Amino acid sequence: MNITICFDKLDPAPWVQGLQQAFPEASVSAWAPGAPPAEHAIVWAPPQQFIDEQVGLQTLFNIGAGVDALLKLKLPPALKVVRLDDAGMSVQMAEYVCHAVIRHFREFDGYDADTQLGKWSYRKPRSRADFAVGVMGLGVLGERVAKALQVFDFSVNGYSRSPKDLPGIRCFSGAQSLPEFLQATRVLVNLMPLTTETENILNKDTLSQLQKGGYVINVARGKHLVEDDLITLIDEGHLSGATLDVFRTEPLPAGHPFWQHPKITVTPHTSARTLREESIAQIVGKMQALQRGEPIRGVVDHQRGY
């Protein structure tokens, strides 16, 4: 079995070494133009040339949860695209989101601002009953986030394309239930996959339906959010702020209004990073399952986009 690795702006050498150690019976190499054909590939933002040259590929393993960039390429219809199920990302995402929710709910951002001024301040405790958290997207990451929020006694709503049934979580599904989900939510966490249907889904119309004082946490894709609409709703007072980890242009350009907005917290796309050892173990397990003719999880539906 030949396995090739093709990464954009990421050193493939540690992955080649790690995969070769984990799967010694395979031949593993980093791709270069004109490289010999392979049956399986591990990729991150590969060029179209890679797809065009590697005509014998059976499977593309993407080293991230989102595959929107990959599906923009011209892929053979029979090529199986596989995303990571978790590989250590879900616990990171749960940590990040719980931190952002609690920081907002407990007004730690306000305390931070006061301490910078040498001010000893006090804020009246808020009621969790007034801070229902809505998680948009109940895949592997979204489900873990929703369950983690329950530990802190937040009321949790969940929204997904298809119906889900999660204990203790009020679940909504389908476009017809989106308004009800938004109106029942004060803190909105976006974990939706990016598709043609979900691009720009966080806009003035949808975000205006959040409860007064709503807060937005976007950890999915920058193209979900209409940036000017968010700033307008914050400045008008309908939204109280946002924590953003993903952006339409990354790195976030110097001079972008998000950098200096007092009610927006920016982090550099770090909410859930790919962990190499966990990812290699998962990918090898799936390759071995395919060798045995067994089904695997994480196969992407090209039409749905996830």
Side-chain angles (χ1 to χ4, degrees), residues 60-97:
L60 279 181
F61 291 89
N62 192 57
I63 62 164
V67 294
D68 44 284
L70 191 56
L71 294 182
K72 290 179 181 178
L73 299 175
K74 295 180 180 178
L75 303 177
L79 180 59
K80 194 187 302 292
V81 176
V82 183
R83 56 175 170 74
L84 294 176
D85 298 327
D86 184 333
M89 288 188 288
S90 68
V91 67
Q92 295 179 70
M93 188 64 78
E95 290 171 341
Y96 182 99
V97 171

Side-chain angles (χ1 to χ4, degrees), residues 168-239:
I169 296 171
R170 187 182 178 194
C171 293
F172 301 80
S173 63
Q176 73 284 350
S177 71
L178 181 59
E180 186 181 2
F181 163 79
L182 294 169
Q183 292 159 22
T185 294
R186 181 156 175 181
V187 179
L188 180 67
V189 180
N190 178 44
L191 276 161
M192 296 281 281
L194 181 64
T195 67
T196 54
E197 290 78 20
T198 63
E199 186 171 348
N200 299 319
I201 194 170
L202 304 180
N203 55 52
K204 189 169 186 179
D205 176 59
T206 54
L207 296 179
S208 294
Q209 297 179 60
L210 293 176
Q211 295 171 4
K212 180 72 173 177
Y215 193 84
V216 176
I217 300 170
N218 189 19
V219 286
R221 286 290 184 267
K223 288 185 178 181
H224 284 124
L225 176 66
V226 180
E227 297 178 345
D228 290 342
D229 288 359
L230 174 70
I231 292 175
T232 296
L233 290 170
I234 292 175
D235 292 345
E236 290 176 352
H238 182 72
L239 297 179

Side-chain angles (χ1 to χ4, degrees), residues 123-174:
R123 286 169 169 77
K124 182 180 179 180
R126 291 165 155 178
S127 171
R128 279 174 171 73
D130 297 330
F131 279 80
V133 183
V135 179
M136 292 182 72
L138 293 175
V140 173
L141 301 184
E143 183 174 339
R144 181 64 178 268
V145 166
K147 290 178 178 178
L149 289 164
Q150 287 181 298
V151 174
F152 296 98
D153 291 345
F154 287 104
S155 175
V156 182
N157 302 319
Y159 176 82
S160 55
R161 176 174 176 172
S162 55
K164 294 288 182 72
D165 183 13
L166 302 177
I169 296 171
R170 187 182 178 194
C171 293
F172 301 80
S173 63

